[in-house]
């Protein structure tokens, strides 16, 4: 190639048999001036070396423009950028990791620009047949992939989102039986709150009470300190949340940062606990302060969320709200017979929040007030609870009309 040609260079290493090729590159972030690419060896004649040089230049151009980026590389970069910008919580990033890993495993080697509906559908089929992924799992992967590909579209890397052409990927309808098992009804909530009065107070019991009585999220309850509670004015301030990262951080959304009124029963329950905790701290040579966790552990520190969830599952089973699907007897290393219980079936902590909302709806509280108390970002979330309550009352109404219209009527 001519010396003055700045696009590339071919150097003969062995006459008519071996050549070295390299491409002249423009300045970039790593180089302030024109520079050469790495050399490549070509075994063949001059024509073949020239063809290889053209292909090499196209490859470098595609790499510079992002066209050679793989789905795995782009998906991981997408996640890294979200983390760096702080747009989503660490917990969300942790939950997304499962879908990102599946995308990388089944689609990762494909270039983003080559991805189409046929490739995606084939990958989903493999997930089901070979990976044992459920329809719900495939739906979650599809939603995450669509989000990532939309970013690639907005950046101009692809002309359209290939996920838009994939049909039949819908969120499976919830199993009504399982949905019922995970729910805490109004009647159960009322009975449960009465049982809590007879439990020996500790930080975990306080967290559960707050879940039923105020609808706080788990992280919001575990993050409370005494400065957040005004027992004289019957007010509770939600300023932080305490999650899996085990640090206090900003609430989930802007609406989650809120102040709500608390009922006199909750004030009395908390006041009783405050006095008890104060005595326990004094006995340990410590002092209760404004930054002392309300829902404290045995060391008067914030309760580990995972430890709390393990305890909460056992507590719900004890109180009749849940059960274990499987019980297996075994003998431990010391020769003691024990029972291993697995397959928890029942509500989680969030179900208490839903129960609180249902109680408010049943009490005739308007949707906007319920939204404000629970910190729902969208009114639609609150209205969904209203819709469930209306549907339940509609069945009762039909039953009542059936009694009226019966031959005997209602006395």
């Amino acid at each position: 190639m001519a010396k003055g040609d700045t696009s590339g260079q071919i150097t003969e290493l062995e006459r008519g048999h071996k050549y070295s090729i390299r491409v002249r590159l423009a300045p970039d972030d790593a180089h302030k001036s024109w520079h050469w690419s790495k050399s490549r060896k070509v075994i063949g004649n001059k024509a073949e070396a020239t063809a290889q040089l053209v292909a090499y230049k196209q490859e470098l151009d595609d790499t510079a423009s992002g066209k050679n980026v793989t789905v795995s590389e782009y998906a991981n970069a997408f996640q890294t950028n979200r983390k760096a910008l702080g747009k989503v919580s660490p917990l969300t990033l942790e939950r997304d990791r499962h879908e990102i890993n599946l995308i990388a495993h089944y689609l990762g080697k494909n270039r983003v620009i080559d991805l189409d509906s046929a490739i995606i559908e084939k990958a989903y089929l493999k997930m089901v047949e070979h990976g044992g992924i459920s329809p719900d799992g495939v739906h979650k992967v599809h939603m995450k992939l669509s989000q990532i590909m939309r970013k690639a579209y907005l950046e101009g890397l692809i002309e359209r989102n290939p996920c838009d052409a994939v049909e039949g990927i819908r969120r499976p309808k919830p199993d009504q039986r399982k949905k019922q098992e995970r729910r805490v009804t109004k009647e159960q909530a009322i009975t449960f709150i009465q049982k809590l009065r007879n439990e020996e107070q500790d930080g975990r019991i306080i967290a559960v009470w707050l879940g039923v009585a105020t609808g706080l999220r788990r992280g919001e309850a575990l993050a409370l300190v005494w400065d957040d509670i005004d027992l004289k004015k019957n007010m509770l301030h939600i300023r932080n949340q305490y999650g899996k990262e085990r640090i206090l951080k900003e609430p989930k959304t802007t609406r989650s940062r809120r102040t709500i009124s608390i009922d006199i029963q909750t004030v009395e329950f908390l006041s009783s606990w405050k006095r008890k905790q104060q005595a326990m701290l004094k006995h340990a040579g410590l002092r209760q302060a404004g930054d002392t966790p309300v829902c404290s552990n045995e060391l008067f520190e914030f309760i580990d969320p995972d430890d709390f969830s393990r305890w909460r599952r056992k507590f719900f089973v004890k109180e009749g709200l849940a059960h274990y699907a499987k019980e297996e007897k075994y003998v431990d290393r010391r020769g003691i017979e024990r029972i291993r219980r697995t397959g928890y079936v029942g509500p989680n902590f969030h179900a208490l929040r839903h129960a609180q909302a249902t109680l408010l709806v049943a009490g005739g509280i308007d949707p906007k007030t319920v939204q404000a108390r629970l910190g729902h970002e969208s009114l639609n979330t609150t209205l969904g609870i209203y819709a469930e309550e209306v549907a339940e009352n509609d069945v009762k109404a039909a039953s009542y009309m059936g009694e009226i219209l019966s031959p005997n009527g209602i006395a």
Side-chain angles (χ1 to χ4, degrees):
M1 190 165 287
K3 186 176 181 181
D5 191 332
T6 58
S7 62
Q9 186 181 70
I10 298 176
T11 303
E12 190 175 50
L13 301 177
E14 293 181 17
R15 187 173 181 81
H17 176 66
K18 184 187 287 187
Y19 296 86
S20 174
I21 62 174
R22 60 179 182 172
V23 177
R24 188 76 164 165
L25 302 175
D28 55 27
D29 292 340
H31 303 85
K32 294 182 179 180
S33 59
W34 285 80
H35 57 285
W36 289 104
S37 68
K38 291 182 179 180
S39 297
R40 281 188 179 179
K41 298 290 190 299
V42 178
I43 304 300
N45 56 34
K46 183 70 174 288
E48 289 172 324
T50 301
Q52 287 288 327
L53 180 63
V54 172
Y56 189 21
K57 185 176 186 302
Q58 184 62 53
E59 178 187 328
L60 291 171
D61 288 344
D62 287 347
T63 299
S65 65
K67 290 183 178 180
N68 274 347
V69 67
T70 64
V71 172
S72 179
E73 290 168 341
Y74 194 82
N76 282 301
F78 171 86
Q79 198 73 341
T80 299
N81 289 340
R82 293 174 85 204
K83 182 178 181 180
L85 295 172
K87 289 185 175 181
V88 292
S89 70
L91 183 57
T92 299
L93 290 171
E94 182 182 328
R95 288 172 176 168
D96 286 351
R97 178 44 55 188
H98 179 65
E99 281 72 45
I100 296 289
N101 288 343
L102 288 174
I103 290 169
H105 180 72
Y106 288 95
L107 289 161
K109 293 181 180 179
N110 295 279
R111 294 194 305 174
V112 172
I113 63 171
D114 295 331
L115 210 59
D116 59 25
S117 59
I119 294 174
I120 295 172
E121 288 170 0
K122 187 177 180 180
Y124 289 169
L125 190 61
K126 284 184 178 179
M127 286 184 195
V128 175
E129 293 181 347
H130 303 298
I133 308 301
S134 67
D136 184 55
V138 172
H139 176 264
K140 289 179 179 178
V141 169
H142 183 65
M143 295 302 292
K144 182 52 56 182
L145 180 64
S146 182
Q147 184 184 22
I148 293 169
M149 290 301 103
R150 182 175 182 276
K151 180 67 173 175
Y153 165 73
L154 293 174
E155 290 182 341
L157 185 58
I158 53 179
E159 294 183 359
R160 66 185 182 87
N161 188 337
C163 294
D164 293 343
V166 178
E167 298 181 345
I169 307 299
R170 299 183 180 88
R171 171 178 274 176
K173 291 183 178 180
D175 185 319
Q176 291 302 317
R177 180 180 61 83
K178 289 184 177 179
K179 187 177 179 181
Q180 200 65 30
E181 288 174 341
R182 294 168 183 164
R183 185 185 178 197
V184 176
T185 65
K186 298 190 295 288
E187 293 74 17
Q188 286 177 316
I190 293 169
T191 301
F192 185 51
I193 203 79
Q194 298 307 322
K195 287 183 176 180
L196 286 176
R197 294 179 184 278
N198 299 320
E199 291 288 337
E200 183 177 350
Q201 286 187 331
D202 63 16
R204 297 171 303 192
I205 292 295
I206 297 301
V208 173
W209 177 285
L210 289 168
V212 182
T214 67
L216 292 188
R217 299 177 177 92
R218 184 190 69 175
E220 293 171 345
L222 298 184
L224 287 175
V225 295
W226 286 113
D227 274 346
D228 295 327
I229 301 177
D230 190 331
L231 294 173
K232 293 182 179 179
K233 295 183 179 179
N234 299 6
M235 303 295 287
L236 191 154
H237 308 282
I238 297 94
R239 300 183 175 112
N240 292 293
Q241 60 176 330
Y242 190 78
K244 288 181 176 293
E245 308 85 1
R246 297 171 183 80
I247 57 171
L248 286 177
K249 60 181 183 179
E250 289 288 313
K252 185 178 179 181
T253 64
T254 303
R255 286 187 179 273
S256 296
R257 191 181 180 89
R258 61 200 187 278
T259 296
I260 62 172
S261 299
I262 50 178
D263 63 273
I264 190 62
Q265 302 300 324
T266 297
V267 170
E268 291 177 358
F269 199 74
L270 290 173
S271 297
S272 174
W273 166 239
K274 188 175 185 179
R275 290 191 296 270
K276 180 179 178 180
Q277 187 196 63
Q278 189 176 41
M280 293 165 65
L281 281 161
K282 185 177 181 180
H283 184 73
L286 302 172
R287 185 176 62 85
Q288 191 179 67
D291 61 354
T292 300
V294 174
C295 304
S296 57
N297 60 18
E298 292 78 3
L299 297 174
F300 309 105
E301 298 171 343
F302 291 103
I303 297 175
D304 182 292
D306 290 335
D307 289 345
F308 174 78
S309 290
R310 282 189 285 271
W311 170 85
R312 191 264 311 155
R313 285 192 289 271
K314 292 178 182 178
F315 182 68
F316 278 13
V317 170
K318 180 176 81 74
E319 295 298 334
L321 289 177
H323 66 276
Y324 289 104
K326 185 178 179 181
E327 289 191 358
E328 179 185 4
K329 290 184 179 180
Y330 71 99
V331 178
D332 67 14
R333 288 180 294 181
R334 293 179 293 176
I336 301 174
E337 187 176 275
R338 298 187 181 279
I339 298 176
R340 181 186 291 112
R341 296 177 175 86
T342 57
Y344 175 83
V345 179
N348 56 15
F349 189 86
H350 200 81
L352 301 180
R353 177 174 166 80
H354 196 283
Q356 153 78 185
T358 304
L359 289 168
L360 294 177
V361 171
I365 307 302
D366 66 275
K368 290 297 291 183
T369 300
V370 176
Q371 180 191 12
R373 281 187 65 82
L374 298 182
H376 285 155
E377 183 69 12
S378 170
L379 182 59
N380 288 335
T381 304
T382 314
L383 292 176
I385 298 169
Y386 267 79
E388 288 183 12
E389 186 66 22
V390 168
E392 185 177 310
N393 289 339
D394 187 55
V395 172
K396 293 179 181 178
S399 177
Y400 176 69
M401 286 304 300
E403 292 179 22
I404 293 177
L405 298 174
S406 68
N408 297 325
I410 293 180

